[in-house]
Amino acid sequence: MCGIVGYIGNKNTKEILLSGLKELEYRGYDSAGIAVLQNDNFQSYKAIGKLVNLEEKTKNFITDNFAIGIGHTRWATHGKPTELNAHPHTGESSYVVHNGIIENYAKLKKELIADGVRFLSQTDTEVIVHQFEKNLKSTSTAFDAFSKTIKKLEGTYAILLVTKSEKESIFFAKHGSPMLVGTNSENEKYFASSDAPLIGQCNDVNYFEDGDYGYVNIDELTIFDINGEKKEPIFTKLSQNKLSAQKDGFRFFMEKEIYEQGDVIADTLMGRLNDKEIIFDELDDSLFDGINEIKLCACGTSYHSALSATYLFERYAKIKTSVEIASEFRYRKPIMSKDTLFVVISQSGETADTLETLKMAKKVGLKTLVICNVDNSSMVRLADTCILTRAGVEKGVASTKAFATQVTIFWMMSLYIAQRRDSLGTKEISRQISLIRAIPTSVKVKDSLHERIKRLSKRYLHGHGFFFIGRDIFFPLALEGALKLKEISYLHAEGYPSGEMKHGPIALADPELFTIALLPQHLLYEKSKSNVEELSARDSTICAISALEFDKADDFIKISSHQDYMLEFFEMMVVVQLLSLEISVRLGNDVDMPRNLAKSVTVE
Ligand code: F6R
């Protein structure tokens, strides 16, 4: 995820910007850059890859008196990770860094190009600096030009802009992407997109609210609200704990990662859909030529997301799809035919068993695709083609946002293939796309929901086991819910198809058997309900998750009413993640680093 830093003061500006960016490294990035205005002169440096590359480029650059500077780590969304696309972006005499998405950038860019502006990058960000410089020509002050620019932007942003027209100020604006400013007794001003870079530099910080914009110079911090009214900063004391700063105020990385699923899914979608079609620029048009079957291979949570793909691909793309656990597939001498597209799924891109299956597929000449979260990982380098999930760095050992983005990709892929195979009408594809756009909202954690789960969790700390049950695509979600619970609570849990319980496991039913029932309103509701009733009749303790009240349940977690089962899927995913988290917390376990587990399993 992108990171922003900014500084005004008399200290070593270059070092402050670089060390601030270092604090944001853990969020993941693929290029970085800084711009410094000192003695009337701008100097800007950018480098792709890790920060050491930027450090190397700036090693002879000295900033030893008053300067203003901005810096950025970029995680590519609009345009590839190249030096030209890295921030800061420049016009004739100004530089800008930006986190978020300018949704109306294409329209603004068109207007600016018509005015004769030349764009250097493929980013949405570059329009900000050109629009600002255009406005400069018709306004009396640089800040007026900035305010006018902000009013034209649609979308989400945290922006810092510096300009020769106002040599001692940094202009800022925030809407939907986090940003804060800190100050200290030496009157220095520090900006960042999260707390970590400010720790040790300032004690007092102001967190900007959506709609805030303004400017700082060495003497003042001026903020306007969304209505253009001047407002006072609200300074709070900054905790001096770096690790907790990286957690952005959450108790655990896993919790933070559950909460940020809406944002990362928005990144997953970015540039990949319009109202009528799904666009995967990374896929060659000929990828599906001659393909009659898709084989998916993965481990753990990634295997569960792959299982969900089998439902979506067969239902929407009408293509035969199967899924295999990588460690099994490796040794069972599988038949691999050339009309199969071989797809591996991995958060890390390094899992030994999955990597090995990819090698097997390549060896026999199958077309290969990897769905992965880590660019340049072994699988990404090996596969013919790659779709990056853009979940950002996942620190919690128990995977959450990686799963969410994988399923999002699979839903989009099912429509992408459907477009090519004419298996869904254009109207239905458009309808599904509008549903996909609603995923980020469906995974937003509501305080009331989290509170309810926190309260309920105390009733699920014992018993002789859990069954998570669901039908259809809610079966992989049940498997994933059970895996989450096992991993961090160390309680025994199984995922099971609801309709299969009566073929054996129902023998276990008694009050000490906890059933977590996934009851989507829009998919096989009556059938799933009957299965839960069978368990309830045998006195199993039932916790039902549904949009519809269910009186046979001992506990009920109500989700929102959605238009479609897939949006119910995403909200229920959040529920089972939070339930595991809260049970684990109550049991006093290490949520982020559960016993016996590693984040990346590079041994077989
Ligand atoms: C579960 C979990 C693991 C991984 C599995 C595969 O929370 O994280 O089950 O999903 O080890 O890892 P990747 O996706 O990196 O191949």
Side-chain angles (χ1 to χ4, degrees):
M1 296 295 96
C2 302
I4 280 187
V5 292
Y7 174 72
I8 293 191
N10 292 307
K11 294 208 186 117
N12 188 333
T13 304
K14 176 190 87 175
E15 288 307 326
I16 287 171
L17 295 176
L18 290 179
S19 72
L21 292 177
K22 248 197 150 41
E23 295 295 341
L24 298 174
E25 258 196 313
Y26 75 97
R27 302 177 81 89
Y29 64 102
D30 42 50
S31 56
I34 58 171
V36 175
L37 180 57
Q38 181 184 233
N39 303 331
D40 268 5
N41 242 330
F42 262 124
Q43 301 259 51
S44 175
Y45 298 86
K46 302 189 202 184
I48 52 171
K50 293 290 159 206
L51 275 174
V52 284
N53 301 338
L54 186 62
E55 281 163 358
E56 179 60 27
K57 279 198 166 178
T58 53
K59 70 174 183 230
N60 297 323
F61 173 43
I62 294 164
T63 48
D64 52 5
N65 52 26
F66 176 80
I68 61 177
I70 56 177
H72 192 262
T73 44
R74 173 173 187 258
W75 197 69
T77 51
H78 283 71
K80 292 201 161 30
T82 61
E83 218 169 288
L84 275 180
N85 286 335
H87 302 209
H89 289 286
T90 185
E92 281 167 20
S93 57
S94 321
Y95 282 84
V96 70
V97 290
H98 159 232
N99 285 357
I101 312 151
I102 305 302
E103 283 167 6
N104 59 337
Y105 89 99
K107 179 173 165 273
L108 297 177
K109 189 167 175 174
K110 212 165 147 198
E111 289 168 10
L112 289 160
I113 288 173
D115 291 344
V117 174
R118 230 185 103 235
F119 278 78
L120 296 174
S121 77
Q122 299 157 299
T123 65
D124 52 335
T125 302
E126 200 182 338
V127 296
I128 303 170
V129 70
H130 294 307
Q131 186 66 46
F132 167 75
E133 294 197 336
K134 176 179 169 180
N135 293 345
L136 260 182
K137 293 178 188 145
S138 60
T139 50
S140 50
T141 68
F143 185 62
D144 284 348
F146 182 71
S147 315
K148 216 170 146 189
T149 305
I150 296 308
K151 291 195 178 85
K152 273 195 105 90
L153 304 179
E154 288 166 20
T156 56
Y157 47 79
I159 293 170
L160 296 181
L161 185 143
V162 286
T163 175
K164 274 197 176 173
S165 317
E166 182 59 64
K167 294 190 187 86
E168 299 195 342
S169 301
I170 296 182
F171 298 154
F172 59 83
K174 183 243 189 263
H175 190 74
S177 295
M179 189 159 63
L180 68 157
V181 63
T183 184
N184 58 22
S185 55
E186 294 163 74
N187 257 350
E188 296 167 285
K189 308 285 186 309
Y190 290 77
F191 286 90
S193 47
S194 76
D195 293 358
L198 272 54
I199 291 175
Q201 313 290 357
C202 350
N203 292 324
D204 299 310
V205 296
N206 169 80
Y207 293 90
F208 293 115
E209 288 174 13
D210 282 345
D212 285 358
Y213 66 100
Y215 58 89
V216 292
N217 53 42
I218 203 78
D219 300 316
E220 57 175 325
L221 161 61
T222 303
I223 311 177
F224 296 90
D225 69 13
I226 198 162
N227 303 314
E229 303 289 335
K230 218 171 185 173
K231 64 188 261 193
E232 287 303 312
I234 303 170
F235 283 109
T236 51
K237 291 274 169 236
L238 181 64
S239 142
Q240 298 298 312
N241 178 329
K242 283 207 169 159
L243 190 65
S244 91
Q246 289 189 345
K247 290 183 196 155
D248 286 348
F250 290 99
R251 296 167 295 170
F252 311 99
F253 281 109
M254 182 186 176
E255 187 179 35
K256 169 175 171 270
E257 286 159 7
I258 293 171
Y259 270 75
E260 72 191 13
Q261 289 179 118
D263 290 341
V264 299
I265 291 172
D267 287 339
T268 307
L269 303 183
M270 205 185 325
R272 287 174 168 161
L273 38 80
N274 60 32
D275 291 345
K276 292 197 206 75
E277 58 172 352
I278 301 288
I279 306 145
F280 281 115
D281 283 337
E282 47 279 79
L283 301 186
D284 200 287
D285 257 351
S286 63
L287 182 67
F288 291 94
D289 290 354
I291 294 297
N292 292 315
E293 186 179 346
I294 296 179
K295 167 85 74 194
L296 302 145
C297 218
C299 301
T301 289
S302 298
Y303 168 72
H304 297 153
S305 78
L307 260 179
S308 76
T310 60
Y311 294 87
L312 297 168
F313 286 5
E314 296 208 339
R315 182 166 297 146
Y316 299 139
K318 307 269 183 282
I319 186 159
K320 196 171 154 203
T321 308
S322 58
V323 60
E324 307 252 4
I325 290 176
S327 55
E328 284 298 304
F329 187 74
R330 280 180 71 172
Y331 298 106
R332 68 169 187 75
K333 309 240 177 306
I335 296 168
M336 296 162 100
S337 56
K338 287 269 168 57
D339 64 348
T340 301
L341 173 68
F342 194 81
V343 184
V344 285
I345 304 94
S346 176
Q347 189 285 128
S348 62
E350 302 296 345
T351 304
D353 284 320
T354 312
L355 182 60
E356 209 48 46
T357 65
L358 177 60
K359 288 182 188 160
M360 285 164 64
K362 293 235 19 150
K363 204 162 162 197
V364 295
L366 298 197
K367 285 189 184 175
T368 59
L369 166 68
V370 58
I371 315 288
C372 191
N373 195 36
V374 181
D375 201 1
N376 287 320
S377 56
S378 303
M379 287 182 219
V380 169
R381 279 180 299 178
L382 189 65
D384 302 332
T385 314
C386 148
I387 297 180
L388 291 175
T389 47
R390 304 176 180 167
V393 174
E394 191 178 60
K395 283 208 160 186
V397 165
S399 182
T400 51
K401 60 178 182 166
F403 176 77
T405 53
Q406 288 168 348
V407 179
T408 302
I409 291 283
F410 284 134
W411 190 2
M412 288 199 286
M413 254 184 92
S414 69
L415 303 184
Y416 178 88
I417 305 168
Q419 285 161 198
R420 270 149 191 78
R421 293 168 67 89
D422 276 335
S423 57
L424 277 187
T426 50
K427 233 170 137 186
E428 178 56 14
I429 290 185
S430 295
R431 190 188 75 86
Q432 298 253 349
I433 289 175
S434 66
L435 294 170
I436 287 176
R437 285 190 200 281
I439 309 175
T441 313
S442 72
V443 296
K444 213 168 157 46
V445 182
K446 289 191 219 73
D447 288 348
S448 55
L449 179 76
H450 196 164
E451 271 314 306
R452 167 122 187 94
I453 293 170
K454 234 181 226 172
R455 228 170 332 112
L456 276 186
S457 61
K458 65 173 175 289
R459 294 160 64 162
Y460 294 91
L461 307 178
H462 59 289
H464 60 71
F466 286 75
F467 272 88
F468 285 68
I469 62 169
R471 274 177 176 264
D472 201 276
I473 195 168
F474 290 81
F475 164 51
L477 183 58
L479 287 170
E480 178 57 9
L483 180 64
K484 288 292 85 89
L485 187 68
K486 272 191 276 231
E487 286 180 293
I488 59 174
S489 73
Y490 319 141
L491 295 170
H492 182 72
E494 276 187 66
Y496 231 75
S498 307
E500 189 65 13
M501 290 297 283
K502 57 181 155 311
H503 298 288
I506 204 165
L508 292 166
D510 69 15
E512 298 295 292
L513 179 79
F514 298 143
T515 302
I516 312 295
L518 308 179
L519 285 173
Q521 176 182 4
H522 298 295
L523 195 72
L524 302 169
Y525 179 74
E526 289 304 329
K527 293 210 180 298
S528 308
K529 203 168 99 176
S530 309
N531 299 139
V532 182
E533 278 166 2
E534 288 154 14
L535 280 150
S536 165
R538 282 148 188 95
D539 234 3
S540 166
T541 297
I542 312 280
C543 174
I545 307 171
S546 182
L548 301 177
E549 300 285 342
F550 180 53
D551 58 6
K552 298 278 174 9
D554 299 271
D555 286 316
F556 180 64
I557 300 175
K558 190 170 171 54
I559 62 157
S560 317
S561 188
H562 294 284
Q563 284 177 48
D564 185 88
Y565 71 91
M566 279 307 288
L567 297 177
E568 296 185 285
F569 177 100
F570 279 100
E571 189 173 342
M572 286 190 197
M573 172 196 76
V574 173
V575 172
V576 295
Q577 292 168 342
L578 287 173
L579 186 63
S580 304
L581 175 88
E582 293 305 336
I583 291 175
S584 171
V585 173
R586 283 190 186 271
L587 292 171
N589 299 342
D590 186 340
V591 170
D592 284 330
M593 277 198 270
R595 70 184 185 203
N596 307 337
L597 298 179
K599 186 68 191 158
S600 181
V601 186
T602 50
V603 289
E604 61 166 303

